[in-house]
Structures are given as structure tokens and as C-alpha cells.
Amino acid sequence: MKNIRHFFTSESVTEGHPDKMADQISDAVLDAILEKDPNGRVACETLVLTGMIHLCGQISTDCYVDMNKVIRETVKKIGYTDASEGMDGNTCGICLSIDEQSPDIAIGVNKSLEVKQGEMMNDSIEGIGAGDQGMMFGFACSETPELMPLPIMLAHRLVQMLSAVRKNEELTYLLPDGKSQVTIEYEGDKPVRASTVVLSAQHKPDVPLDVIRQDLMEQVIKPVIPENLLDKKTKIYVNPTGRFVIGGPLGDTGLTGRKIIVDTYGGMSRHGGGAFSGKDPTKVDRSASYMARYVAKNIVAAGLADKCEVSISYAIGVATPTHIGIETFGTEKIEPEKIAKLVKEHFDLRPGAIIRDLKLRKPIYLPLAAYGHFGRPDLDLTWERIDKAEAIRSAAGLSESAVVK
């Protein structure tokens, strides 16, 4: 049964997709605040529609940020500078609806239940309480160098390349919106071929479809999808409707947090449901998801398992997780109970410790708001490091050859 053939599909979208525009605006505002006030509290969402941007939420900070300017610069950088295409960063309408963080939430974040009960020092960063209840998941597997699932990595690379050939003006008829989808056939846990590749690219109206399909095949798909994964049976669809002129906010409303599977593992791992963008690191939806990925990646890199999913859950205002779970899907090299013990010994999963250890009070979030928060070799992300793998391997008693380099 281990070698049974099966298929898995993941999708991604470009930075010009309306939902991703909303994510980037929310994270641009977050970064602007953290740059001036690392302790700022931010929980903001963005609604994007034709010619209009609405930023709303709760923000508590001592600094001043020109949010209108931040929003406009973000929209223009994405590539929307023409009102006839549904959005112009220079002239679009902007509505701000911002309140301060609820004091009922702040009291639990500022002083955890453990501090109130005398179990932790009040001035200890580890005494920060979780900003909300919930469960978070992190995942890693050995099928790519980034220890990520292959379908989502290829889907991301397709839309990254699509944006690259637009921005460097190799294909001047491309517009910012676009989507990709990749179906990989597996033999057991091993990816063996690309079954289906879908690429949809927004374009100017006067370009023949056959030109678009030829260009995207040669300049996007072939450079991204490894040749050994393509065969005569691979189905490739480029702009399958035949026309994709109306896109971005003109074609669809965008909203922060509506692409959480694109942001994570393409559906190959479970998701707690909480979005990332627009949230400062006291929100465990974001910070604990990053830590769960860090734990899972180091477990796989250490050779303890070929596939690992880490789950962490919290109660609002409480620092200590209510539950820590490890799932290795039968790929573990040592007893699962021993892996769970090693996790508790090598990782501090309290919110304040996560913020400290992963250095999360910095303006690092805008680049994550498109093309995924994990498996990003283009960014130096603390939660993508495998700096604990050697120590974990040694503590587990595995040979050095087990460690993923």
C-alpha cells in the first residue's frame, strides 16, 4: 500500500490578485508600525474593490504612520497605476476605520495568567499571554530542498515567474493578476510526475491568445516545472477561458485572510483557520504557526521523520500551550513519544518566547504576504532555519548521516 499512486493539487496567486493585494496592504501597515514601534499591537484587515480600499481593525501604538501613503505605495508597487484597469494607487479612494485594541484582550496579553498566579515574573517576556485561543499547525516533509510539499512550491514559483516577466517587461502585455495550479502524481510519498499544470495570466485586450500561450509556456512554465516531471500525458492549460482582461479589483473583491491555504502548505497539512496578514506577533495565529513550522522543519532536517505536522493550541491570556501534538504519518525513525519529548526540551512554545526566539518584532512581514510564508529561500526567515537539527539528532541518538543538510 505504501507505493500506491495518488494525486495532490495546490494553487497559488500573484501579488496582483485582489485577495493578495489586501494581505499586502495589511502587512505593509503592520511593518510601518513595527518599524517605529516594535511593541505596537496591530490587527487590521483590508477590503479591496474597484477604485477603493478600506482598511479597518484595531491598532494600538505610540507612533504616527501615514497609512494613506503606505497603502498607495503598496498598490503602486504591485503594479496598479491605471484607473481603467480597476485601480490606481495614486488616485484610488481610501477609507480608514481604526480603533484601539480591546482592553479586555490587552489585559491578557500584557500579563499572562501564569504571571497573575505568581508562576512567572511580571517583567519576563515569557509572561506574555496568548492573544487569542485557537490551534495552529506547522508542517515539513522531505520531498523538496525547502522541506515543503512539491505542489505548492511549484505553484508559487509559477506565479513568481509570471510576475517577474511582467515587472522586467519581458512580456509587456501582462497585467498584475494571475493564478497557478499544479497537480502532482505520487507513488507512495514520492512525487513522480506533473499530471496537470494550470496558469492564468491577466493581459491587455489586444494580444492574441496563441501568443500568450506560447510565451507563457516558454518563459514561465518550462523554466519552472522540471523537465523530468513533464511527459506526453501532462495536461497544460494556459488561460483556459481564452480571455483574462478583467482582473484584479475590477474583476473581484479582495479581502485579507482569504488565501490561507496559499499562505501555508497548499492543503497538504491541516490549518487552524486563523489568517496571518495584518497581525502583530502577539497574535498566536501568526507567531505560533511560524514556530510550528520551525519545529516541524527541524524534526525533518534532523532525520527524525520524513514528514511531520506539529499542532499547538492556546487559551487567550495564557502563556503555556494547552496542547502540543506531533504527527509523523508513520515516517518516524524513533518512537513518536520520544520526538514529542525532544520538542518540549528544545523549543519554548510560550508566545513571548516565540517572539523573542524568532525575532518577530521587526518589519519583516510585507514580503511574506505574497508567494507563501514558508519555504522561502529568497528571504532569511528565522522559522525556516534548521539550526536545532544537529542538537535534536544528537539527543535522539541518530547517526550524523540522518541530518538533512
Side-chain angles (χ1 to χ4, degrees):
M1 291 295 291
K2 280 190 174 181
N3 292 325
I4 190 170
R5 288 188 174 251
H6 60 98
F7 299 82
F8 197 88
T9 302
S10 295
E11 70 159 352
S12 187
V13 298
T14 66
E15 63 208 73
H17 185 282
D19 290 331
K20 275 290 143 207
M21 286 182 65
D23 286 344
Q24 289 166 90
I25 291 168
S26 295
D27 273 337
V29 170
L30 171 64
D31 276 359
I33 290 171
L34 291 180
E35 187 171 9
K36 295 182 177 181
D37 178 11
N39 293 308
R41 300 283 172 81
V42 180
C44 65
E45 286 79 37
T46 304
L47 173 69
V48 178
L49 61 160
T50 305
M52 185 69 195
I53 294 170
H54 190 170
L55 178 75
C56 57
Q58 296 77 42
I59 297 177
S60 297
T61 180
D62 294 330
C63 72
Y64 170 75
V65 168
D66 187 341
M67 295 185 190
N68 284 277
K69 182 178 180 182
V70 171
I71 291 170
R72 293 191 187 282
E73 290 302 316
T74 303
V75 172
K76 289 189 289 184
K77 186 176 180 181
I78 292 170
Y80 286 105
T81 56
D82 187 341
S84 68
E85 295 169 1
M87 182 67 68
D88 181 352
N90 295 295
T91 61
C92 64
I94 297 176
C95 179
L96 304 178
S97 302
I98 304 295
D99 292 318
E100 290 187 331
Q101 183 183 57
S102 164
D104 292 346
I105 296 175
I107 195 172
V109 176
N110 297 340
K111 186 182 293 187
S112 69
L113 181 66
E114 291 91 335
V115 170
K116 296 171 186 175
Q117 294 178 342
E119 299 171 11
M120 293 183 186
M121 295 292 291
N122 191 25
D123 59 352
S124 171
I125 190 171
E126 290 87 347
I128 295 174
D132 201 352
Q133 70 175 42
M135 59 282 189
M136 297 82 211
F137 293 88
F139 182 78
C141 60
S142 59
E143 62 187 68
T144 65
E146 299 83 7
L147 304 186
M148 285 284 288
L150 182 61
I152 189 63
M153 290 303 295
L154 292 178
H156 282 326
R157 288 171 183 164
L158 283 170
V159 286
Q160 282 179 302
M161 183 66 77
L162 185 63
S163 288
V165 296
R166 170 179 64 87
K167 288 187 169 183
N168 64 25
E169 297 185 342
E170 288 183 48
L171 300 178
T172 57
Y173 56 78
L174 290 178
L175 297 174
D177 200 356
K179 303 180 76 171
S180 66
Q181 185 171 284
V182 177
T183 301
I184 295 295
E185 182 176 356
Y186 286 81
E187 185 175 325
D189 287 332
K190 182 182 178 181
V192 294
R193 61 182 291 271
S195 171
T196 307
V197 177
V198 182
L199 186 63
S200 296
Q202 187 189 12
H203 58 89
K204 294 180 180 178
D206 56 349
V207 187
L209 180 60
D210 58 342
V211 172
I212 296 172
R213 288 177 170 168
Q214 177 68 21
D215 286 346
L216 296 189
M217 185 69 191
E218 295 299 323
Q219 299 193 46
V220 178
I221 295 175
K222 286 185 178 179
V224 168
I225 307 296
E227 188 176 356
N228 66 302
L229 293 180
L230 298 172
D231 58 31
K232 293 181 179 179
K233 293 184 179 180
T234 301
K235 296 178 182 178
I236 298 177
Y237 300 101
V238 176
N239 283 19
T241 67
R243 179 181 170 87
F244 187 4
V245 173
I246 299 174
L250 184 61
D252 196 7
T253 301
L255 188 64
T256 298
R258 210 155 54 180
K259 285 290 178 285
I260 58 176
I261 301 304
V262 171
D263 286 340
T264 52
Y265 308 100
M268 195 165 286
S269 172
R270 285 171 283 196
H271 197 297
F276 301 155
S277 291
K279 296 178 180 178
D280 75 79
T282 66
K283 280 69 174 175
V284 286
D285 280 341
R286 175 166 232 160
S287 55
S289 294
Y290 293 169
M291 179 56 96
R293 161 66 175 172
Y294 182 50
V295 174
K297 188 172 184 181
N298 275 274
I299 288 172
V300 173
L304 273 61
D306 294 327
K307 186 184 294 187
C308 181
E309 182 184 75
V310 175
S311 59
I312 313 171
S313 59
Y314 294 89
I316 187 169
V318 181
T320 305
T322 61
H323 173 258
I324 303 168
I326 308 294
E327 172 62 70
T328 51
F329 308 95
T331 68
E332 67 276 0
K333 305 301 187 293
I334 64 173
E335 297 84 356
E337 296 79 9
K338 190 171 183 180
I339 296 177
K341 182 180 178 181
L342 289 168
V343 169
K344 293 179 181 179
E345 291 173 353
H346 289 82
F347 300 93
D348 191 337
L349 303 182
R350 292 172 295 179
I354 293 173
I355 293 170
R356 176 198 63 200
D357 295 343
L358 297 185
K359 300 176 174 58
L360 297 180
R361 292 196 186 276
K362 297 181 178 180
I364 58 174
Y365 299 105
L366 176 55
L368 302 170
Y371 313 121
H373 294 244
F374 309 116
R376 294 292 299 271
D378 55 318
L379 303 173
D380 182 20
L381 304 175
T382 52
W383 55 91
E384 288 297 309
R385 297 174 185 173
I386 52 173
D387 50 353
K388 289 185 178 286
E390 180 62 37
I392 293 173
R393 179 207 61 79
S394 178
L398 295 180
S399 65
E400 186 175 353
S401 62
V403 179
V404 176
K405 302 297 183 181

PDB file of all heavy atoms in Angstrom, residues 7 35 39 57 87 162 190 278 386 398:
ATOM      1  N   PHE A   7      -2.814  11.483  -6.333  1.00  0.00           N
ATOM      2  CA  PHE A   7      -2.576  12.820  -6.870  1.00  0.00           C
ATOM      3  C   PHE A   7      -2.848  13.864  -5.784  1.00  0.00           C
ATOM      4  O   PHE A   7      -3.684  13.672  -4.912  1.00  0.00           O
ATOM      5  CB  PHE A   7      -3.486  13.092  -8.072  1.00  0.00           C
ATOM      6  CG  PHE A   7      -3.285  12.143  -9.222  1.00  0.00           C
ATOM      7  CD1 PHE A   7      -3.885  10.894  -9.223  1.00  0.00           C
ATOM      8  CD2 PHE A   7      -2.484  12.501 -10.299  1.00  0.00           C
ATOM      9  CE1 PHE A   7      -3.702  10.009 -10.278  1.00  0.00           C
ATOM     10  CE2 PHE A   7      -2.293  11.625 -11.361  1.00  0.00           C
ATOM     11  CZ  PHE A   7      -2.904  10.383 -11.348  1.00  0.00           C
ATOM     12  N   GLU A  35       8.232  49.214  12.490  1.00  0.00           N
ATOM     13  CA  GLU A  35       9.492  49.913  12.240  1.00  0.00           C
ATOM     14  C   GLU A  35       9.702  51.042  13.245  1.00  0.00           C
ATOM     15  O   GLU A  35      10.824  51.324  13.660  1.00  0.00           O
ATOM     16  CB  GLU A  35       9.508  50.460  10.814  1.00  0.00           C
ATOM     17  CG  GLU A  35      10.845  51.055  10.405  1.00  0.00           C
ATOM     18  CD  GLU A  35      10.893  51.396   8.933  1.00  0.00           C
ATOM     19  OE1 GLU A  35       9.851  51.338   8.258  1.00  0.00           O
ATOM     20  OE2 GLU A  35      11.996  51.717   8.448  1.00  0.00           O
ATOM     21  N   ASN A  39       6.648  47.342  19.736  1.00  0.00           N
ATOM     22  CA  ASN A  39       5.646  46.787  20.639  1.00  0.00           C
ATOM     23  C   ASN A  39       4.213  47.151  20.239  1.00  0.00           C
ATOM     24  O   ASN A  39       3.282  46.920  21.015  1.00  0.00           O
ATOM     25  CB  ASN A  39       5.913  47.268  22.067  1.00  0.00           C
ATOM     26  CG  ASN A  39       7.209  46.710  22.619  1.00  0.00           C
ATOM     27  OD1 ASN A  39       7.432  45.502  22.585  1.00  0.00           O
ATOM     28  ND2 ASN A  39       8.069  47.579  23.111  1.00  0.00           N
ATOM     29  N   GLY A  57      -9.891  47.821  11.561  1.00  0.00           N
ATOM     30  CA  GLY A  57      -9.334  46.943  12.573  1.00  0.00           C
ATOM     31  C   GLY A  57      -8.981  47.671  13.841  1.00  0.00           C
ATOM     32  O   GLY A  57      -9.466  48.781  14.110  1.00  0.00           O
ATOM     33  N   MET A  87      -7.821  50.036 -10.712  1.00  0.00           N
ATOM     34  CA  MET A  87      -7.154  50.557  -9.525  1.00  0.00           C
ATOM     35  C   MET A  87      -5.951  51.396  -9.929  1.00  0.00           C
ATOM     36  O   MET A  87      -5.144  50.985 -10.775  1.00  0.00           O
ATOM     37  CB  MET A  87      -6.686  49.405  -8.624  1.00  0.00           C
ATOM     38  CG  MET A  87      -6.014  49.842  -7.336  1.00  0.00           C
ATOM     39  SD  MET A  87      -7.126  50.666  -6.184  1.00  0.00           S
ATOM     40  CE  MET A  87      -8.207  49.312  -5.714  1.00  0.00           C
ATOM     41  N   LEU A 162       5.733  34.489 -13.310  1.00  0.00           N
ATOM     42  CA  LEU A 162       4.771  35.283 -14.071  1.00  0.00           C
ATOM     43  C   LEU A 162       4.905  36.763 -13.714  1.00  0.00           C
ATOM     44  O   LEU A 162       4.895  37.631 -14.597  1.00  0.00           O
ATOM     45  CB  LEU A 162       3.352  34.786 -13.779  1.00  0.00           C
ATOM     46  CG  LEU A 162       2.211  35.414 -14.573  1.00  0.00           C
ATOM     47  CD1 LEU A 162       2.362  35.123 -16.054  1.00  0.00           C
ATOM     48  CD2 LEU A 162       0.873  34.882 -14.054  1.00  0.00           C
ATOM     49  N   LYS A 190       6.515   9.606  -2.823  1.00  0.00           N
ATOM     50  CA  LYS A 190       7.475  10.174  -3.773  1.00  0.00           C
ATOM     51  C   LYS A 190       6.763  10.821  -4.960  1.00  0.00           C
ATOM     52  O   LYS A 190       5.995  10.165  -5.669  1.00  0.00           O
ATOM     53  CB  LYS A 190       8.426   9.088  -4.279  1.00  0.00           C
ATOM     54  CG  LYS A 190       9.482   9.602  -5.244  1.00  0.00           C
ATOM     55  CD  LYS A 190      10.365   8.480  -5.745  1.00  0.00           C
ATOM     56  CE  LYS A 190      11.397   8.991  -6.742  1.00  0.00           C
ATOM     57  NZ  LYS A 190      12.248   7.895  -7.263  1.00  0.00           N
ATOM     58  N   GLY A 278      -1.610  41.207   8.622  1.00  0.00           N
ATOM     59  CA  GLY A 278      -2.196  42.286   9.390  1.00  0.00           C
ATOM     60  C   GLY A 278      -2.171  42.068  10.886  1.00  0.00           C
ATOM     61  O   GLY A 278      -2.742  42.864  11.630  1.00  0.00           O
ATOM     62  N   ILE A 386      17.302  25.622  10.139  1.00  0.00           N
ATOM     63  CA  ILE A 386      17.359  24.273  10.723  1.00  0.00           C
ATOM     64  C   ILE A 386      18.519  24.212  11.714  1.00  0.00           C
ATOM     65  O   ILE A 386      19.237  23.224  11.793  1.00  0.00           O
ATOM     66  CB  ILE A 386      17.483  23.195   9.632  1.00  0.00           C
ATOM     67  CG1 ILE A 386      18.636  23.488   8.676  1.00  0.00           C
ATOM     68  CG2 ILE A 386      16.181  23.088   8.841  1.00  0.00           C
ATOM     69  CD1 ILE A 386      18.904  22.367   7.678  1.00  0.00           C
ATOM     70  N   LEU A 398      20.645   9.519  16.837  1.00  0.00           N
ATOM     71  CA  LEU A 398      20.730   9.123  15.442  1.00  0.00           C
ATOM     72  C   LEU A 398      22.117   9.417  14.887  1.00  0.00           C
ATOM     73  O   LEU A 398      22.832  10.292  15.388  1.00  0.00           O
ATOM     74  CB  LEU A 398      19.676   9.860  14.609  1.00  0.00           C
ATOM     75  CG  LEU A 398      18.217   9.548  14.918  1.00  0.00           C
ATOM     76  CD1 LEU A 398      17.307  10.366  14.018  1.00  0.00           C
ATOM     77  CD2 LEU A 398      17.920   8.060  14.748  1.00  0.00           C
TER      78      LEU A 398
END
